[in-house]
Amino acid sequence: NAGVTQTPKFQVLKTGQSMTLQCAQDMNHEYMSWYRQDPGMGLRLIHYSVGAGITDQGEVPNGYNVSRSTTEDFPLRLLSAAPSQTSVYFCASSQRQGGGETQYFGPGTRLLVL
Amino acid sequence: DAKTTQPNSMESNEEEPVHLPCNHSTISGTDYIHWYRQLPSQGPEYVIHGLTSNVNNRMASLAIAEDRKSSTLILHRATLRDAAVYYCILRASGTYKYIFGTGTRLKVLA
């Protein structure tokens, strides 16, 4: 199993540009989520999905869109990039266990918005 | 959402046990206590979790206070590879919201 994969590893955008961060998992996990991590900070939940076709907002959803058309993929779209979105983005997945599940994280995407 | 409080940093000597504390005074009855760690330039990785009873696995032990308002992650013999930021997180059953704090940066001295 490849686990959770994220592409690209690093991206530079100009203010106002849009882009999609890709996330895929091959473990048939129901839950997937996106976090951002700013320097020296913990992770903050952006959006999450409890299954194909179902998404919900986390702590910091503004400026981001998600969709979940398949179990495997959970892309994160930046609609109009802003310097405040410069961060490291992590995708995670887990199997539903009612609170005791283990989250598996991807290696992250470093995003720089100029 | 219930919050956790951890010391910003701790140091330990190699081969010695490490006790990483976490306060969660607003924990509710259905909140699971999860611990993750993040090595430099990597995504977080699962360490251990529990609900009410103490838990052991190959990586660590989790000691949960009787009133569940605090917990302690125990690394039995710290190695240099255990140097990381350790996050104590509450995860409410029935939701999928993990609220990360700023964690404890563990430094292991050779």
Side-chain angles (χ1 to χ4, degrees), chain B residues 39-56:
Chain B
L39 279 65
S41 300
Q42 294 188 26
E45 65 173 345
Y46 169 82
V47 177
I48 201 166
H49 77 273
L51 183 61
T52 57
S53 304
N54 294 345
V55 184
N56 299 299

mmCIF file of all heavy atoms in Angstrom, chain B residues 39-56:
data_model
loop_
_atom_site.group_PDB
_atom_site.id
_atom_site.type_symbol
_atom_site.label_atom_id
_atom_site.label_comp_id
_atom_site.label_asym_id
_atom_site.label_seq_id
_atom_site.Cartn_x
_atom_site.Cartn_y
_atom_site.Cartn_z
ATOM 1 N N LEU B 39 7.568 14.289 13.426
ATOM 2 C CA LEU B 39 9.006 14.448 13.257
ATOM 3 C C LEU B 39 9.258 15.592 12.292
ATOM 4 O O LEU B 39 8.378 15.964 11.499
ATOM 5 C CB LEU B 39 9.619 13.142 12.734
ATOM 6 C CG LEU B 39 9.885 12.048 13.781
ATOM 7 C CD1 LEU B 39 8.596 11.532 14.402
ATOM 8 C CD2 LEU B 39 10.686 10.916 13.186
ATOM 9 N N PRO B 40 10.450 16.169 12.322
ATOM 10 C CA PRO B 40 10.733 17.324 11.454
ATOM 11 C C PRO B 40 10.435 17.046 9.986
ATOM 12 O O PRO B 40 10.811 15.998 9.457
ATOM 13 C CB PRO B 40 12.228 17.563 11.680
ATOM 14 C CG PRO B 40 12.483 17.032 13.058
ATOM 15 C CD PRO B 40 11.575 15.840 13.208
ATOM 16 N N SER B 41 9.729 17.950 9.366
ATOM 17 C CA SER B 41 9.403 17.914 7.935
ATOM 18 C C SER B 41 8.582 16.697 7.527
ATOM 19 O O SER B 41 8.650 16.246 6.375
ATOM 20 C CB SER B 41 10.686 17.960 7.089
ATOM 21 O OG SER B 41 11.395 19.136 7.358
ATOM 22 N N GLN B 42 7.829 16.152 8.454
ATOM 23 C CA GLN B 42 6.959 15.020 8.139
ATOM 24 C C GLN B 42 5.540 15.295 8.609
ATOM 25 O O GLN B 42 5.291 16.214 9.390
ATOM 26 C CB GLN B 42 7.470 13.741 8.812
ATOM 27 C CG GLN B 42 8.803 13.247 8.283
ATOM 28 C CD GLN B 42 9.149 11.888 8.844
ATOM 29 O OE1 GLN B 42 8.270 11.112 9.220
ATOM 30 N NE2 GLN B 42 10.435 11.580 8.898
ATOM 31 N N GLY B 43 4.603 14.473 8.109
ATOM 32 C CA GLY B 43 3.253 14.547 8.621
ATOM 33 C C GLY B 43 3.169 13.871 9.978
ATOM 34 O O GLY B 43 4.019 13.059 10.332
ATOM 35 N N PRO B 44 2.139 14.198 10.759
ATOM 36 C CA PRO B 44 1.977 13.550 12.064
ATOM 37 C C PRO B 44 1.803 12.043 11.920
ATOM 38 O O PRO B 44 1.314 11.556 10.896
ATOM 39 C CB PRO B 44 0.696 14.196 12.615
ATOM 40 C CG PRO B 44 0.578 15.490 11.895
ATOM 41 C CD PRO B 44 1.114 15.223 10.524
ATOM 42 N N GLU B 45 2.215 11.322 12.957
ATOM 43 C CA GLU B 45 1.985 9.888 12.988
ATOM 44 C C GLU B 45 1.339 9.505 14.311
ATOM 45 O O GLU B 45 1.620 10.100 15.355
ATOM 46 C CB GLU B 45 3.278 9.092 12.770
ATOM 47 C CG GLU B 45 4.309 9.243 13.856
ATOM 48 C CD GLU B 45 5.493 8.311 13.679
ATOM 49 O OE1 GLU B 45 5.411 7.357 12.890
ATOM 50 O OE2 GLU B 45 6.508 8.539 14.363
ATOM 51 N N TYR B 46 0.467 8.525 14.250
ATOM 52 C CA TYR B 46 -0.274 8.058 15.408
ATOM 53 C C TYR B 46 0.678 7.445 16.437
ATOM 54 O O TYR B 46 1.621 6.737 16.101
ATOM 55 C CB TYR B 46 -1.288 7.011 14.949
ATOM 56 C CG TYR B 46 -1.955 6.235 16.056
ATOM 57 C CD1 TYR B 46 -3.040 6.777 16.734
ATOM 58 C CD2 TYR B 46 -1.520 4.965 16.392
ATOM 59 C CE1 TYR B 46 -3.674 6.059 17.735
ATOM 60 C CE2 TYR B 46 -2.140 4.240 17.390
ATOM 61 C CZ TYR B 46 -3.220 4.791 18.054
ATOM 62 O OH TYR B 46 -3.839 4.074 19.052
ATOM 63 N N VAL B 47 0.415 7.752 17.710
ATOM 64 C CA VAL B 47 1.184 7.127 18.781
ATOM 65 C C VAL B 47 0.294 6.180 19.587
ATOM 66 O O VAL B 47 0.570 4.990 19.711
ATOM 67 C CB VAL B 47 1.808 8.191 19.710
ATOM 68 C CG1 VAL B 47 2.546 7.522 20.857
ATOM 69 C CG2 VAL B 47 2.741 9.114 18.926
ATOM 70 N N ILE B 48 -0.801 6.717 20.134
ATOM 71 C CA ILE B 48 -1.639 5.915 21.016
ATOM 72 C C ILE B 48 -2.940 6.649 21.259
ATOM 73 O O ILE B 48 -3.032 7.861 21.028
ATOM 74 C CB ILE B 48 -0.897 5.653 22.352
ATOM 75 C CG1 ILE B 48 -1.455 4.440 23.105
ATOM 76 C CG2 ILE B 48 -0.878 6.902 23.227
ATOM 77 C CD1 ILE B 48 -0.533 3.963 24.238
ATOM 78 N N HIS B 49 -3.978 5.949 21.689
ATOM 79 C CA HIS B 49 -5.202 6.622 22.097
ATOM 80 C C HIS B 49 -5.884 5.820 23.199
ATOM 81 O O HIS B 49 -5.618 4.624 23.367
ATOM 82 C CB HIS B 49 -6.156 6.836 20.914
ATOM 83 C CG HIS B 49 -6.892 5.592 20.495
ATOM 84 N ND1 HIS B 49 -6.367 4.697 19.593
ATOM 85 C CD2 HIS B 49 -8.105 5.113 20.858
ATOM 86 C CE1 HIS B 49 -7.223 3.717 19.405
ATOM 87 N NE2 HIS B 49 -8.283 3.936 20.162
ATOM 88 N N GLY B 50 -6.784 6.485 23.925
ATOM 89 C CA GLY B 50 -7.534 5.809 24.977
ATOM 90 C C GLY B 50 -8.804 6.572 25.309
ATOM 91 O O GLY B 50 -8.975 7.730 24.916
ATOM 92 N N LEU B 51 -9.678 5.917 26.061
ATOM 93 C CA LEU B 51 -10.930 6.556 26.477
ATOM 94 C C LEU B 51 -10.965 6.722 27.986
ATOM 95 O O LEU B 51 -11.104 7.830 28.492
ATOM 96 C CB LEU B 51 -12.124 5.727 25.996
ATOM 97 C CG LEU B 51 -13.510 6.306 26.287
ATOM 98 C CD1 LEU B 51 -13.680 7.655 25.619
ATOM 99 C CD2 LEU B 51 -14.599 5.338 25.838
ATOM 100 N N THR B 52 -10.849 5.628 28.715
ATOM 101 C CA THR B 52 -10.891 5.707 30.176
ATOM 102 C C THR B 52 -9.740 4.964 30.841
ATOM 103 O O THR B 52 -9.182 5.427 31.828
ATOM 104 C CB THR B 52 -12.211 5.133 30.716
ATOM 105 O OG1 THR B 52 -12.344 3.790 30.252
ATOM 106 C CG2 THR B 52 -13.398 5.948 30.263
ATOM 107 N N SER B 53 -9.379 3.824 30.294
ATOM 108 C CA SER B 53 -8.360 2.990 30.934
ATOM 109 C C SER B 53 -6.982 3.290 30.375
ATOM 110 O O SER B 53 -6.840 3.787 29.259
ATOM 111 C CB SER B 53 -8.669 1.511 30.682
ATOM 112 O OG SER B 53 -9.963 1.187 31.128
ATOM 113 N N ASN B 54 -5.965 2.973 31.154
ATOM 114 C CA ASN B 54 -4.588 3.104 30.675
ATOM 115 C C ASN B 54 -4.365 2.148 29.504
ATOM 116 O O ASN B 54 -4.979 1.080 29.417
ATOM 117 C CB ASN B 54 -3.607 2.800 31.804
ATOM 118 C CG ASN B 54 -3.680 3.833 32.919
ATOM 119 O OD1 ASN B 54 -4.251 4.914 32.745
ATOM 120 N ND2 ASN B 54 -3.121 3.490 34.059
ATOM 121 N N VAL B 55 -3.494 2.545 28.589
ATOM 122 C CA VAL B 55 -3.268 1.794 27.368
ATOM 123 C C VAL B 55 -1.773 1.626 27.151
ATOM 124 O O VAL B 55 -0.986 2.525 27.465
ATOM 125 C CB VAL B 55 -3.879 2.527 26.150
ATOM 126 C CG1 VAL B 55 -3.718 1.698 24.878
ATOM 127 C CG2 VAL B 55 -5.338 2.868 26.397
ATOM 128 N N ASN B 56 -1.396 0.486 26.610
ATOM 129 C CA ASN B 56 0.002 0.244 26.237
ATOM 130 C C ASN B 56 0.057 -0.230 24.798
ATOM 131 O O ASN B 56 -0.799 -0.988 24.348
ATOM 132 C CB ASN B 56 0.624 -0.845 27.126
ATOM 133 C CG ASN B 56 0.621 -0.471 28.583
ATOM 134 O OD1 ASN B 56 1.225 0.522 28.977
ATOM 135 N ND2 ASN B 56 -0.070 -1.252 29.396
#
